[in-house]
Amino acid sequence: MIGIIDYGMGNLYSVSKALERMDVEYVISNDRDVLFEAEGLILPGVGSFRDAMSILQETGLDSFIKEEVARGKKMLGICLGMQLLFEESEENGVTEGLSFLKGKVERFPGFTGEGASYKVPHMGWNKLEFQQASPLLEGVPEDYVYFVHSYYVKDFAEAELLASSTYDVQVPAVVGCGNVFGTQFHPEKSSNVGLAILKNFVNLVKEEER
């Protein structure tokens, strides 16, 4: 069973519907005891990094997540949920993240090195560019996925970058280290490519069960 962490800032409907389409058992909860029974965790997210971390800390879900990851449970962060896996964000003031992965979250500058402006947020379909092999990307084509975000990860560790996209700058699109993974795009809204990534995550969780 996959536990979808409900902390009031997640795109729960689309994530749960994607799992339903794959006939994957899941539970949506903010109850630590319920989530403890899940074999893998998904941390979705939309909105402000600072607000999200405040809620996680107030509810104790931040410490729960860290404990479960330390126990070896597999975790997938989606969109803001991916950004929360990193060290800090500058959104609404510098805020410390969960610090599973190395990197800082900053706003797209909105202009190129030559001074030309471009649209922020980065919204719409953009192409994946694979950086290294990963079980999360097994059988997945370098195809287009759906992004909606105004902030992106900088100063990341190259060893933790699995795939990127280009939006004037290099945007970490898929990241991972050990049992922690993240996608900046919404796999649940990214057609067959996104569903394949979600399926790979579920398979990794099932392999751990065996």
Side-chain angles (χ1 to χ4, degrees):
M1 181 177 67
I2 300 296
I4 303 174
I5 300 172
D6 179 8
Y7 60 107
M9 295 187 66
N11 194 7
L12 304 177
Y13 179 80
S14 59
V15 174
S16 62
K17 287 302 177 184
L19 294 178
E20 285 180 15
R21 288 199 296 274
M22 296 187 294
D23 293 321
V24 174
E25 184 181 1
Y26 69 89
V27 62
I28 299 172
S29 183
N30 60 3
D31 188 309
R32 295 164 60 116
D33 293 335
V34 172
L35 293 170
F36 180 83
E37 297 300 324
E39 286 79 26
L41 297 172
I42 292 179
L43 181 65
V46 292
S48 162
F49 189 106
R50 169 164 283 195
D51 291 346
M53 280 305 303
S54 292
I55 294 170
L56 292 177
Q57 290 164 355
E58 289 167 4
T59 58
L61 284 169
D62 63 329
S63 58
F64 169 78
I65 291 169
K66 291 178 180 179
E67 290 164 6
E68 291 301 278
V69 168
R71 288 200 312 121
K73 186 170 288 187
K74 291 197 166 48
M75 157 79 72
L76 175 67
I78 295 175
C79 197
L80 173 61
M82 185 200 95
Q83 295 179 1
L84 294 170
L85 303 177
F86 287 86
E87 295 170 299
E88 66 179 41
S89 171
E90 69 171 19
E91 186 176 5
N92 296 330
V94 176
T95 304
E96 184 178 344
L98 295 169
S99 297
F100 294 123
L101 305 174
K102 182 183 184 302
K104 300 178 181 180
V105 181
E106 297 185 7
R107 184 175 173 84
F108 285 108
F111 54 88
T112 67
E114 293 74 34
S117 63
Y118 61 88
K119 182 181 176 182
V120 177
H122 173 207
M123 181 182 296
W125 296 84
N126 205 341
K127 194 171 188 293
L128 290 177
E129 303 161 14
F130 292 170
Q131 303 300 321
Q132 57 183 306
S134 168
L136 194 67
L137 299 175
E138 185 174 349
V140 178
E142 279 188 312
D143 210 335
Y144 287 80
V145 290
Y146 188 76
F147 291 85
V148 183
H149 61 122
S150 298
Y151 289 76
Y152 73 109
V153 179
K154 287 187 64 177
D155 303 327
F156 53 85
E158 293 287 347
E160 297 173 350
L161 180 65
L162 305 181
S164 61
S165 288
T166 301
Y167 193 65
D168 184 58
V169 296
Q170 185 182 39
V171 177
V174 185
V175 295
C177 181
N179 54 320
V180 176
F181 301 93
T183 64
Q184 179 62 76
F185 57 91
H186 288 274
E188 77 282 7
K189 297 181 179 180
S190 297
S191 191
N192 292 336
V193 177
L195 290 180
I197 290 173
L198 284 175
K199 187 64 174 178
N200 283 342
F201 175 72
V202 171
N203 287 339
L204 286 171
V205 172
K206 290 180 178 178
E207 287 174 10
E208 189 69 25
E209 292 179 55
R210 294 197 291 269

